[in-house]
Amino acid sequence: NSKVIQTPRYLVKGQGQKAKMRCIPEKGHPVVFWYQQNKNNEFKFLINFQNQEVLQQIDMTEKRFSAECPSNSPCSLEIQSSEAGDSALYLCASSRQYSGNTLYFGEGSRLIVV
Amino acid sequence: AQSVTQPDARVTVSEGASLQLRCKYSYSGTPYLFWYVQYPRQGLQLLLKYYSGDPVVQGVNGFEAEFSKSNSSFHLRKASVHWSDSAVYFCVFITGNTGKLIFGLGTTLQVQP
């Protein structure tokens, strides 16, 4: 069973609505990644954190997506204005270290934008 | 360019048969390699990983994989599959200096009774 906890498992949003997903990383894992998996099994890196600090993020994340990992609270990924193309499985993963270390994934949050 | 190729999109085997899922990577250095499995409506679960040393690594549930630097491959094997092994299997690697994963497109394994 995954020790990375993601909520909600499913969310359905209309176009233009906000969509927010949360992730509790495995205990002792300061590094958190967010990935988007589409229906064709293509994985897109969105953003990663070490503790509360953003390490890397892609342009898409910078514009419509926002994410944070506050101390003592779950990490979150929010889409400010959902688009049909955002329908996907959003996976959170955590790791002990940033470089070259195993990532452990949560069950994912499946977003459907109607 | 760094990439992972899983040449078989779908593999069907009978229960009890042996299995090999193929994976080829493109990277000039030595990558950190992983196999993950995704069951329906679930996230990714780690099967096994290779960092260095013995090129044959053992994983969970009887899976093993063999790293070949000369062939740039990391094929997954299992001696006898069970119906519960039906899932999508992803070959993944990380380059040495970055935490970002590079995924293959996955191989869907269907085990027939």
Side-chain angles (χ1 to χ4, degrees):
Chain A
N1 291 332
S2 175
K3 296 178 182 178
V4 176
I5 308 300
Q6 288 190 248
T7 57
R9 290 294 305 276
Y10 300 92
L11 61 168
V12 180
K13 298 292 179 181
Q15 295 195 44
Q17 289 186 317
K18 288 186 181 181
K20 189 169 186 175
M21 294 154 268
R22 292 175 176 81
C23 170
I24 300 174
E26 188 168 331
K27 191 174 182 180
H29 286 190
V31 179
V32 173
F33 285 75
W34 285 96
Y35 283 89
Q36 179 197 64
Q37 180 186 9
N38 69 17
K39 63 180 181 180
N40 296 319
N41 285 336
E42 295 166 322
F43 290 80
K44 182 180 290 185
F45 165 79
L46 297 177
I47 192 168
N48 57 8
F49 293 84
Q50 183 157 315
N51 296 311
Q52 293 80 52
E53 183 181 344
V54 174
L55 298 178
Q56 296 169 300
Q57 61 185 339
I58 65 168
D59 286 347
M60 180 175 76
T61 315
E62 291 171 355
K63 292 174 182 175
R64 287 190 304 112
F65 289 52
S66 62
E68 61 178 1
C69 274
S71 60
N72 301 317
S73 294
C75 298
S76 65
L77 175 69
E78 185 171 31
I79 305 173
Q80 301 303 320
S81 178
S82 300
E83 299 175 356
D86 297 330
S87 296
L89 182 67
Y90 290 83
L91 291 163
C92 176
S94 70
S95 176
R96 292 183 185 278
Q97 298 176 6
Y98 168 67
S99 178
N101 214 266
T102 303
L103 266 66
Y104 294 91
F105 287 83
E107 300 285 350
S109 292
R110 184 169 296 282
L111 171 65
I112 299 171
V113 181
V114 298
Chain B
Q2 300 162 0
S3 65
V4 175
T5 301
Q6 294 182 246
D8 305 308
R10 191 174 189 90
V11 171
T12 301
V13 297
S14 298
E15 192 167 24
S18 63
L19 171 72
Q20 175 170 278
L21 301 182
R22 296 183 291 163
C23 171
K24 301 259 304 183
Y25 66 89
S26 175
Y27 177 56
S28 57
T30 299
Y32 299 124
L33 290 155
F34 306 84
W35 277 97
Y36 285 89
V37 61
Q38 187 173 38
Y39 297 101
R41 295 173 296 282
Q42 294 189 25
L44 299 177
Q45 298 177 27
L46 180 68
L47 277 181
L48 48 77
K49 60 187 177 184
Y50 173 79
Y51 285 173
S52 64
D54 188 338
V56 178
V57 291
Q58 304 297 320
V60 299
N61 298 333
F63 285 95
E64 67 174 29
E66 183 167 5
F67 168 68
S68 171
K69 188 172 177 64
S70 60
N71 293 325
S72 298
S73 68
F74 189 55
H75 300 329
L76 181 70
R77 303 189 295 240
K78 186 170 184 177
S80 176
V81 296
H82 187 264
W83 65 267
S84 60
D85 293 325
S86 296
V88 183
Y89 291 78
F90 292 95
C91 182
V92 182
F93 83 88
I94 304 175
T95 61
N97 59 355
T98 175
K100 286 192 284 187
L101 302 184
I102 297 174
F103 291 82
L105 291 179
T107 297
T108 299
L109 173 65
Q110 184 175 359
V111 180
Q112 294 181 331

PDB file of all heavy atoms in Angstrom, chain A residues 96-111:
ATOM      1  N   ARG A  96      13.486  10.576  -0.707  1.00  0.00           N
ATOM      2  CA  ARG A  96      14.380  11.030   0.358  1.00  0.00           C
ATOM      3  C   ARG A  96      15.322  12.123  -0.120  1.00  0.00           C
ATOM      4  O   ARG A  96      15.727  12.992   0.645  1.00  0.00           O
ATOM      5  CB  ARG A  96      15.220   9.859   0.866  1.00  0.00           C
ATOM      6  CG  ARG A  96      14.438   8.803   1.602  1.00  0.00           C
ATOM      7  CD  ARG A  96      15.367   7.726   2.141  1.00  0.00           C
ATOM      8  NE  ARG A  96      14.612   6.646   2.736  1.00  0.00           N
ATOM      9  CZ  ARG A  96      14.130   6.656   3.964  1.00  0.00           C
ATOM     10  NH1 ARG A  96      14.341   7.708   4.741  1.00  0.00           N
ATOM     11  NH2 ARG A  96      13.452   5.642   4.442  1.00  0.00           N
ATOM     12  N   GLN A  97      15.717  12.027  -1.399  1.00  0.00           N
ATOM     13  CA  GLN A  97      16.668  12.983  -1.943  1.00  0.00           C
ATOM     14  C   GLN A  97      16.214  13.431  -3.311  1.00  0.00           C
ATOM     15  O   GLN A  97      15.422  12.744  -3.972  1.00  0.00           O
ATOM     16  CB  GLN A  97      18.064  12.355  -2.066  1.00  0.00           C
ATOM     17  CG  GLN A  97      18.683  11.916  -0.761  1.00  0.00           C
ATOM     18  CD  GLN A  97      20.026  11.223  -0.990  1.00  0.00           C
ATOM     19  OE1 GLN A  97      20.531  11.175  -2.106  1.00  0.00           O
ATOM     20  NE2 GLN A  97      20.599  10.696   0.068  1.00  0.00           N
ATOM     21  N   TYR A  98      16.748  14.551  -3.766  1.00  0.00           N
ATOM     22  CA  TYR A  98      16.355  15.066  -5.072  1.00  0.00           C
ATOM     23  C   TYR A  98      16.981  14.280  -6.210  1.00  0.00           C
ATOM     24  O   TYR A  98      16.306  13.934  -7.177  1.00  0.00           O
ATOM     25  CB  TYR A  98      16.762  16.531  -5.191  1.00  0.00           C
ATOM     26  CG  TYR A  98      16.653  17.055  -6.599  1.00  0.00           C
ATOM     27  CD1 TYR A  98      15.416  17.186  -7.209  1.00  0.00           C
ATOM     28  CD2 TYR A  98      17.784  17.377  -7.329  1.00  0.00           C
ATOM     29  CE1 TYR A  98      15.307  17.635  -8.511  1.00  0.00           C
ATOM     30  CE2 TYR A  98      17.677  17.838  -8.626  1.00  0.00           C
ATOM     31  CZ  TYR A  98      16.444  17.967  -9.205  1.00  0.00           C
ATOM     32  OH  TYR A  98      16.343  18.414 -10.489  1.00  0.00           O
ATOM     33  N   SER A  99      18.250  13.976  -6.100  1.00  0.00           N
ATOM     34  CA  SER A  99      18.965  13.447  -7.252  1.00  0.00           C
ATOM     35  C   SER A  99      19.145  11.945  -7.182  1.00  0.00           C
ATOM     36  O   SER A  99      19.665  11.420  -6.212  1.00  0.00           O
ATOM     37  CB  SER A  99      20.335  14.128  -7.347  1.00  0.00           C
ATOM     38  OG  SER A  99      21.078  13.609  -8.424  1.00  0.00           O
ATOM     39  N   GLY A 100      18.699  11.261  -8.237  1.00  0.00           N
ATOM     40  CA  GLY A 100      18.986   9.850  -8.389  1.00  0.00           C
ATOM     41  C   GLY A 100      18.393   8.936  -7.355  1.00  0.00           C
ATOM     42  O   GLY A 100      18.934   7.869  -7.081  1.00  0.00           O
ATOM     43  N   ASN A 101      17.264   9.328  -6.789  1.00  0.00           N
ATOM     44  CA  ASN A 101      16.684   8.509  -5.732  1.00  0.00           C
ATOM     45  C   ASN A 101      15.331   7.973  -6.151  1.00  0.00           C
ATOM     46  O   ASN A 101      14.679   8.513  -7.024  1.00  0.00           O
ATOM     47  CB  ASN A 101      16.567   9.326  -4.458  1.00  0.00           C
ATOM     48  CG  ASN A 101      16.792   8.485  -3.218  1.00  0.00           C
ATOM     49  OD1 ASN A 101      15.871   7.992  -2.619  1.00  0.00           O
ATOM     50  ND2 ASN A 101      18.042   8.304  -2.859  1.00  0.00           N
ATOM     51  N   THR A 102      14.914   6.893  -5.523  1.00  0.00           N
ATOM     52  CA  THR A 102      13.653   6.259  -5.878  1.00  0.00           C
ATOM     53  C   THR A 102      12.475   7.148  -5.508  1.00  0.00           C
ATOM     54  O   THR A 102      12.446   7.716  -4.418  1.00  0.00           O
ATOM     55  CB  THR A 102      13.527   4.915  -5.140  1.00  0.00           C
ATOM     56  OG1 THR A 102      14.654   4.111  -5.475  1.00  0.00           O
ATOM     57  CG2 THR A 102      12.243   4.210  -5.521  1.00  0.00           C
ATOM     58  N   LEU A 103      11.531   7.260  -6.424  1.00  0.00           N
ATOM     59  CA  LEU A 103      10.291   7.987  -6.152  1.00  0.00           C
ATOM     60  C   LEU A 103       9.191   7.000  -5.794  1.00  0.00           C
ATOM     61  O   LEU A 103       9.034   5.965  -6.445  1.00  0.00           O
ATOM     62  CB  LEU A 103       9.862   8.806  -7.379  1.00  0.00           C
ATOM     63  CG  LEU A 103      10.330  10.268  -7.407  1.00  0.00           C
ATOM     64  CD1 LEU A 103      11.823  10.350  -7.530  1.00  0.00           C
ATOM     65  CD2 LEU A 103       9.629  11.030  -8.517  1.00  0.00           C
ATOM     66  N   TYR A 104       8.436   7.346  -4.778  1.00  0.00           N
ATOM     67  CA  TYR A 104       7.301   6.541  -4.347  1.00  0.00           C
ATOM     68  C   TYR A 104       6.034   7.332  -4.640  1.00  0.00           C
ATOM     69  O   TYR A 104       5.901   8.485  -4.215  1.00  0.00           O
ATOM     70  CB  TYR A 104       7.426   6.203  -2.859  1.00  0.00           C
ATOM     71  CG  TYR A 104       8.609   5.309  -2.582  1.00  0.00           C
ATOM     72  CD1 TYR A 104       9.858   5.856  -2.275  1.00  0.00           C
ATOM     73  CD2 TYR A 104       8.505   3.920  -2.672  1.00  0.00           C
ATOM     74  CE1 TYR A 104      10.958   5.039  -2.056  1.00  0.00           C
ATOM     75  CE2 TYR A 104       9.595   3.103  -2.449  1.00  0.00           C
ATOM     76  CZ  TYR A 104      10.823   3.668  -2.146  1.00  0.00           C
ATOM     77  OH  TYR A 104      11.919   2.857  -1.943  1.00  0.00           O
ATOM     78  N   PHE A 105       5.123   6.688  -5.352  1.00  0.00           N
ATOM     79  CA  PHE A 105       3.946   7.373  -5.860  1.00  0.00           C
ATOM     80  C   PHE A 105       2.717   7.134  -5.002  1.00  0.00           C
ATOM     81  O   PHE A 105       2.554   6.083  -4.386  1.00  0.00           O
ATOM     82  CB  PHE A 105       3.635   6.896  -7.287  1.00  0.00           C
ATOM     83  CG  PHE A 105       4.578   7.407  -8.316  1.00  0.00           C
ATOM     84  CD1 PHE A 105       5.800   6.779  -8.545  1.00  0.00           C
ATOM     85  CD2 PHE A 105       4.263   8.531  -9.068  1.00  0.00           C
ATOM     86  CE1 PHE A 105       6.684   7.259  -9.500  1.00  0.00           C
ATOM     87  CE2 PHE A 105       5.135   9.014 -10.027  1.00  0.00           C
ATOM     88  CZ  PHE A 105       6.343   8.384 -10.240  1.00  0.00           C
ATOM     89  N   GLY A 106       1.815   8.109  -5.051  1.00  0.00           N
ATOM     90  CA  GLY A 106       0.492   7.952  -4.482  1.00  0.00           C
ATOM     91  C   GLY A 106      -0.443   7.308  -5.499  1.00  0.00           C
ATOM     92  O   GLY A 106      -0.033   6.962  -6.608  1.00  0.00           O
ATOM     93  N   GLU A 107      -1.702   7.158  -5.089  1.00  0.00           N
ATOM     94  CA  GLU A 107      -2.687   6.513  -5.961  1.00  0.00           C
ATOM     95  C   GLU A 107      -3.162   7.445  -7.068  1.00  0.00           C
ATOM     96  O   GLU A 107      -3.782   7.003  -8.022  1.00  0.00           O
ATOM     97  CB  GLU A 107      -3.892   6.061  -5.139  1.00  0.00           C
ATOM     98  CG  GLU A 107      -3.571   5.062  -4.040  1.00  0.00           C
ATOM     99  CD  GLU A 107      -3.310   3.672  -4.583  1.00  0.00           C
ATOM    100  OE1 GLU A 107      -3.551   3.415  -5.778  1.00  0.00           O
ATOM    101  OE2 GLU A 107      -2.855   2.821  -3.805  1.00  0.00           O
ATOM    102  N   GLY A 108      -2.903   8.723  -6.917  1.00  0.00           N
ATOM    103  CA  GLY A 108      -3.284   9.672  -7.953  1.00  0.00           C
ATOM    104  C   GLY A 108      -4.651  10.308  -7.728  1.00  0.00           C
ATOM    105  O   GLY A 108      -5.498   9.765  -7.012  1.00  0.00           O
ATOM    106  N   SER A 109      -4.822  11.448  -8.327  1.00  0.00           N
ATOM    107  CA  SER A 109      -6.127  12.131  -8.363  1.00  0.00           C
ATOM    108  C   SER A 109      -6.541  12.238  -9.826  1.00  0.00           C
ATOM    109  O   SER A 109      -5.811  12.845 -10.624  1.00  0.00           O
ATOM    110  CB  SER A 109      -6.037  13.540  -7.756  1.00  0.00           C
ATOM    111  OG  SER A 109      -5.797  13.491  -6.378  1.00  0.00           O
ATOM    112  N   ARG A 110      -7.671  11.636 -10.139  1.00  0.00           N
ATOM    113  CA  ARG A 110      -8.110  11.659 -11.544  1.00  0.00           C
ATOM    114  C   ARG A 110      -9.051  12.837 -11.757  1.00  0.00           C
ATOM    115  O   ARG A 110     -10.122  12.909 -11.131  1.00  0.00           O
ATOM    116  CB  ARG A 110      -8.805  10.363 -11.941  1.00  0.00           C
ATOM    117  CG  ARG A 110      -9.168  10.338 -13.436  1.00  0.00           C
ATOM    118  CD  ARG A 110      -9.604   8.969 -13.898  1.00  0.00           C
ATOM    119  NE  ARG A 110      -8.539   7.981 -13.795  1.00  0.00           N
ATOM    120  CZ  ARG A 110      -7.531   7.844 -14.649  1.00  0.00           C
ATOM    121  NH1 ARG A 110      -7.434   8.656 -15.681  1.00  0.00           N
ATOM    122  NH2 ARG A 110      -6.642   6.898 -14.472  1.00  0.00           N
ATOM    123  N   LEU A 111      -8.644  13.743 -12.615  1.00  0.00           N
ATOM    124  CA  LEU A 111      -9.437  14.936 -12.940  1.00  0.00           C
ATOM    125  C   LEU A 111     -10.153  14.734 -14.260  1.00  0.00           C
ATOM    126  O   LEU A 111      -9.518  14.365 -15.258  1.00  0.00           O
ATOM    127  CB  LEU A 111      -8.539  16.173 -13.023  1.00  0.00           C
ATOM    128  CG  LEU A 111      -9.189  17.453 -13.551  1.00  0.00           C
ATOM    129  CD1 LEU A 111     -10.285  17.929 -12.603  1.00  0.00           C
ATOM    130  CD2 LEU A 111      -8.148  18.548 -13.760  1.00  0.00           C
TER     131      LEU A 111
END
